[in-house]
Amino acid sequence: MTLEDKRFMRLALDLAAMGRGRTNPNPMVGAIVVKEGRIMGEGYHQKAGTPHAEVHALKAAGRDARGAAIYVTLEPCSHHGHTPPCVDAILKAGIAKVVAAMTDPNPLVAGRGLEKLRRAGVEVVSGVMEAEARRLNEVFLKYITTRKPFVLIKAAMTLDGRIATRSGHSRWITGEQARSYVHQLRDEYDAILVGIGTVLADDPALTTRLVDKSGQDPVRVVVDSEGRLPLEARVLTQESNASTIVAVTRRAPEEKLAKLEAAGAKIVVVNEDRLGMVDLNHLMDLLGQREIASVLVEGGAQINSAALAEGIVDKVAMFIAPKLIGGQQAPGPVGGVGVETMDRALKLEQVQVRQFGQDVLIEGYIPEGARLCLPEL
């Protein structure tokens, strides 16, 4: 790996990120055609079902692609999907060298693209800035290997760990910059999930509200074991370009479910967990079957606790505002019984800290297979 390889791959990764929130369930991919140290063409995957990054870059390079190198953030595909194989386009263009950040974990590709290029006499280099490429496509990597969505819990709390006052009032804990970032997340994620308690308490619309009004709304998922969602709730009445899924158990009355469907909701019947509530693991399976590759959890203490205990969470993003509420009855971001000793606490990895105005955002990943260990019932 040379300094030039890293420089051009960094540019390709920046290009790939321009497709954030628009390519699911496909990956974000960037590509740059380079000849004699000069960029001849570049492109990125703009939307699922449209031409891939390599195709855009090769088209921009034209005849200059012959004998050139192409830097691509993910192994070029070798199978027919919605578009023809990128490997064939690379060979037809006469590319001499392919530099890939990582192999594609998709079982339909899984190294076959790079191997086909090698057999055709193309020089292949792989693993350039792989860690950065994997982080960029963390949603795709989780979904394509498990068929379950990548799950992020987002919450905001005060300096003393409260998400609301003792009366339940919570608007607003964080400032405008933090709230704007949350709407960017909504724009990027396929679905936003809350529990019925949040809907009954706050009646949120769960839509994306960016300043330039360019955002797309995530699918709204309400975890509602007994079908208590009011027909006048804003998740049903607020105009949106996305649907609303109500996840219920078999205990939900059929008459109420029929009314919810008539109001526009899509009903998903989910298995019960050990507490008789919606089994969140089963729900993730069902959402994955609908090609929902990412879920943003914006619920309250109860749904956060259940998600962490069930082991469905991949990442946590917690805003901390420099405010003090006080009061033993004021709720925190994670409910439930809680662990008994500190050694059973769930420890985050790869922690990052950022600041939005006066608010601090702490992000970290849940170790693979880890969950919040609660006392046995």
Side-chain angles (χ1 to χ4, degrees), residues 96-308:
K97 178 181 179 181
V98 173
V99 182
M102 59 177 290
T103 57
D104 191 337
N106 186 342
L108 296 175
V109 185
R112 296 183 183 90
L114 296 180
E115 182 57 32
K116 185 175 180 179
L117 291 168
R118 290 191 182 97
R119 289 200 306 267
V122 177
E123 181 184 354
V124 174
V125 177
S126 183
V128 177
M129 299 189 73
E130 181 172 355
E132 292 85 347
R134 295 183 71 87
R135 176 66 61 85
L136 176 70
N137 273 312
E138 59 191 13
V139 167
F140 171 74
L141 296 179
K142 167 75 180 292
Y143 178 74
I144 202 65
T145 56
T146 67
R147 290 297 171 181
K148 287 187 176 184
F150 182 93
V151 178
L152 167 67
I153 281 183
K154 188 284 301 179
M157 65 180 181
T158 58
L159 194 58
D160 55 345
R162 273 45 173 200
I163 62 173
T165 66
R166 58 185 174 83
S167 67
H169 189 265
S170 61
R171 292 187 179 182
W172 294 102
I173 288 178
T174 54
E176 186 174 338
Q177 291 184 38
R179 298 199 301 273
S180 177
Y181 176 69
V182 170
H183 284 282
Q184 290 180 35
L185 289 177
R186 290 184 180 185
D187 177 56
E188 296 169 10
Y189 274 68
D190 292 342
I192 181 169
L193 182 147
V194 299
I196 183 61
T198 294
V199 175
L200 295 177
D202 300 333
D203 192 23
L206 303 181
T207 54
T208 299
R209 298 183 293 281
L210 298 178
V211 174
D212 62 2
K213 302 185 185 302
S214 64
Q216 61 184 5
D217 293 336
V219 173
R220 297 172 289 192
V221 181
V222 180
V223 177
D224 184 13
S225 300
E226 299 178 349
R228 295 187 291 153
L229 181 65
L231 299 177
E232 64 276 11
R234 290 207 294 165
V235 292
L236 295 177
T237 62
Q238 181 82 30
E239 184 176 346
S240 171
N241 54 33
S243 59
T244 295
I245 294 174
V246 182
V248 302
T249 66
R250 291 176 178 81
R251 291 187 288 113
E254 292 186 8
E255 181 180 351
K256 178 60 180 295
L257 297 184
K259 291 180 179 178
L260 288 171
E261 286 184 318
K266 296 181 179 179
I267 303 299
V268 174
V269 180
V270 186
N271 294 339
E272 295 182 9
D273 63 14
R274 59 177 184 165
L275 298 176
M277 311 299 283
V278 166
D279 185 323
L280 295 179
N281 271 294
H282 185 214
L283 176 58
M284 292 304 110
D285 287 333
L286 298 177
L287 294 180
Q289 291 171 18
R290 292 172 177 255
E291 292 195 334
I292 291 176
S294 56
V295 173
L296 175 63
V297 178
E298 276 200 52
Q302 183 175 347
I303 198 72
N304 290 344
S305 174
L308 291 166

Side-chain angles (χ1 to χ4, degrees), residues 110 123 264 346 349:
E123 181 184 354
L346 192 56
E349 298 179 340

